[in-house]
Amino acid sequence: MSHLTTARLEIKDFQALIDVLRDRYGVVEVFEQPQRRIVAYLRNEPVHAYVPASAIRGRYGAGIGVVVRADGRVELLTDDANEVDLPAIRRAYALRVADADLTARGFVRAAADETLQDGTVRRVYTPADGAPAPRVVVTVEPNGTVRITVEGLSGMGCLPLTADLIAHLGGAAETTITADAYADAGNVSAWGWAKERSDA
């Protein structure tokens, strides 16, 4: 492993979130201008998108609202009863963003996701062209923490390979460089492969 990056997920891609909500609930209302909708008991908020209570069996007629803030952050608004859905929504969003970014860089999913008992999901990506390395592992925890590791690549070529993905996931990130990152790029073909994709 050449590095480990831990990021706090921040939803920034409105359309990716809408796609996740449609996959999960089937119905999402999207508005040109914010519309007031019930997001909690006696709480009407202006939202840019809305999953109606009927799609989620929401309590008090409350659905899930999506608000785009002035700084570009995207927030989910709901009541306590519907909050149990938020970890799954966050996880699906993070994995959708990872899929889009890594597919554009020439990766494919290596196998089925590994889901731990606490709801953490681990997804492994390998080069689509069959190259043996590098592998990118994305782990999403229920609280929105995302961990990204690059395996099978010596040298600093790992950092630009995941830089855009880390930016798309949004939140504050902490990267730990391992000894492999400081090693000579002995696997020149893997390093060249990664360099070529990091410029994509």
Side-chain angles (χ1 to χ4, degrees):
M1 173 175 63
S2 56
H3 79 275
L4 164 67
T5 298
T6 303
R8 181 76 184 138
L9 180 65
E10 188 174 290
I11 298 174
K12 292 182 169 183
D13 186 334
F14 179 75
Q15 189 56 54
L17 178 61
I18 297 305
D19 292 343
V20 164
L21 294 172
R22 279 202 177 105
D23 288 349
R24 188 166 176 85
Y25 302 108
V27 179
V28 180
E29 302 168 357
V30 179
F31 311 111
E32 294 271 333
Q33 297 295 321
Q35 302 291 315
R36 287 192 147 322
R37 294 291 185 266
I38 299 171
V39 296
Y41 181 67
L42 297 178
R43 187 169 153 213
N44 235 336
E45 295 282 340
V47 296
H48 294 90
Y50 186 70
V51 177
S54 59
I56 57 174
R57 293 182 229 108
R59 190 169 65 166
Y60 310 121
I64 298 174
V66 178
V67 178
V68 181
R69 300 291 181 202
D71 63 3
R73 286 180 306 114
V74 180
E75 264 183 62
L76 293 162
L77 304 177
T78 193
D79 70 0
D80 294 344
N82 298 336
E83 276 191 9
V84 297
D85 286 358
L86 297 185
I89 292 168
R90 280 197 222 67
R91 183 175 50 247
Y93 171 84
L95 292 171
R96 182 175 292 266
V97 169
D99 282 351
D101 184 87
L102 293 170
T103 300
R105 294 184 180 289
F107 285 90
V108 294
R109 286 191 214 174
D113 294 343
E114 178 185 352
T115 304
L116 304 179
Q117 199 167 17
D118 69 352
T120 297
V121 173
R122 182 176 181 264
R123 184 171 287 175
V124 178
Y125 299 87
T126 57
D129 62 6
R135 288 174 14 125
V136 178
V137 180
V138 176
T139 305
V140 185
E141 298 175 5
N143 68 1
T145 299
V146 181
R147 297 185 199 295
I148 302 164
T149 59
V150 177
E151 300 172 349
L153 183 64
S154 298
M156 294 292 183
C158 58
L159 295 173
L161 187 63
T162 58
D164 286 343
L165 174 56
I166 293 163
H168 291 139
L169 291 172
E174 177 183 307
T175 299
T176 303
I177 305 297
T178 67
D180 286 347
Y182 293 107
D184 182 25
N187 187 345
V188 176
S189 63
W191 195 92
W193 191 95
K195 171 76 173 109
E196 186 178 298
R197 266 78 185 162
S198 67
D199 295 337

